[in-house]
Amino acid sequence: MGDNMVRISSGELQRKIGHIQDLALAQPVTITTNGRDRLVLLSAEEYRRLKRRDRQVMGLEDFTAADLEALRNVRPSTAAAAFDHEVTE
């Protein structure tokens, strides 16, 4: 769900609920209040897809000792430095 998401005010949502519901079946719609993102309306199918992805996350208990050791020893490539600003800001 990127920055190209449709944004509408909560007042517009109230006036055009049917149209906005139809739009949300095709793409997520951000609902704003006082100009600030407040909610995202999306299809039930997209919601279920996202929830399935949540369940695919592994915990540390899912890794073997060899997996954990390999993770401890990995080092990022120099090209990865281009993304450092994403974790330091």
Side-chain angles (χ1 to χ4, degrees):
M1 294 188 275
D3 289 339
N4 295 332
M5 196 180 320
V6 173
R7 284 182 163 68
I8 62 157
S9 69
S10 56
E12 186 176 3
L13 173 66
Q14 291 175 347
R15 290 188 302 277
K16 300 179 180 178
I17 187 67
H19 172 73
I20 302 305
Q21 286 176 328
D22 290 344
L23 187 58
L25 290 173
Q27 66 182 15
V29 177
T30 298
I31 312 301
T32 63
T33 301
N34 298 322
R36 301 173 91 177
D37 292 356
R38 178 80 177 195
L39 302 167
V40 176
L41 183 65
L42 52 100
S43 70
E45 179 181 339
E46 178 65 0
Y47 175 77
R48 284 190 291 272
R49 185 189 72 80
L50 292 170
K51 291 304 288 179
R52 279 193 307 273
R53 286 186 64 184
D54 282 350
R55 288 190 288 271
Q56 293 173 357
V57 173
M58 296 174 68
L60 287 177
E61 65 278 1
D62 298 317
F63 291 91
T64 66
D67 292 335
L68 293 172
E69 187 61 25
L71 288 170
R72 283 186 201 98
N73 292 324
V74 72
R75 298 294 174 253
S77 71
T78 56
F83 302 99
D84 284 354
H85 69 281
E86 293 182 5
V87 294
T88 58
E89 291 180 355

